[in-house]
Amino acid sequence: MGFKIISIREIPTWIKVLKADPEVKTNLDILQELTLIDDLLYIEKSFALLRKKKGLRDLLETRIGYELGHIDNLQ
């Protein structure tokens, strides 16, 4: 598994930062956080798509809301 935006050499720094967060307790938590961060960075890089594709913004907002626990299930 690779990340789209986060490079291999950045991962140790991200892990160090995430381990300092009291809400991140397990390696799975770290992986989930890194995946979410990578997804958000990819979205930021691809912002032009939000202007061109109708409905994509809602889809991305739903995905982010789900990851943050604001949405119970994806449909």
Side-chain angles (χ1 to χ4, degrees):
M1 179 192 132
F3 296 111
K4 296 173 196 141
I5 304 297
I6 298 174
S7 70
I8 283 287
R9 67 170 217 252
E10 294 174 328
I11 291 177
T13 303
W14 280 110
I15 290 172
K16 185 176 180 181
V17 169
L18 291 170
K19 282 186 175 182
D21 184 345
E23 293 190 22
V24 177
K25 297 176 180 152
T26 67
N27 289 338
L28 181 59
D29 290 341
I30 291 173
L31 179 60
Q32 288 175 334
E33 291 293 318
L34 283 173
T35 301
L36 180 60
I37 291 166
D38 191 64
D39 288 347
L40 293 172
L41 290 171
Y42 185 72
I43 290 168
E44 182 180 59
K45 185 176 179 183
S46 304
F47 186 71
L49 288 175
L50 293 176
R51 295 182 189 159
K52 294 179 183 178
K53 302 283 183 178
K54 197 168 193 162
L56 183 59
R57 175 180 227 130
D58 293 336
L59 177 70
L60 294 173
E61 286 176 353
T62 302
R63 164 86 161 86
I64 292 167
Y66 176 75
E67 287 295 329
L68 294 175
H70 298 252
I71 299 170
D72 292 330
N73 59 26
L74 293 177
Q75 298 172 335

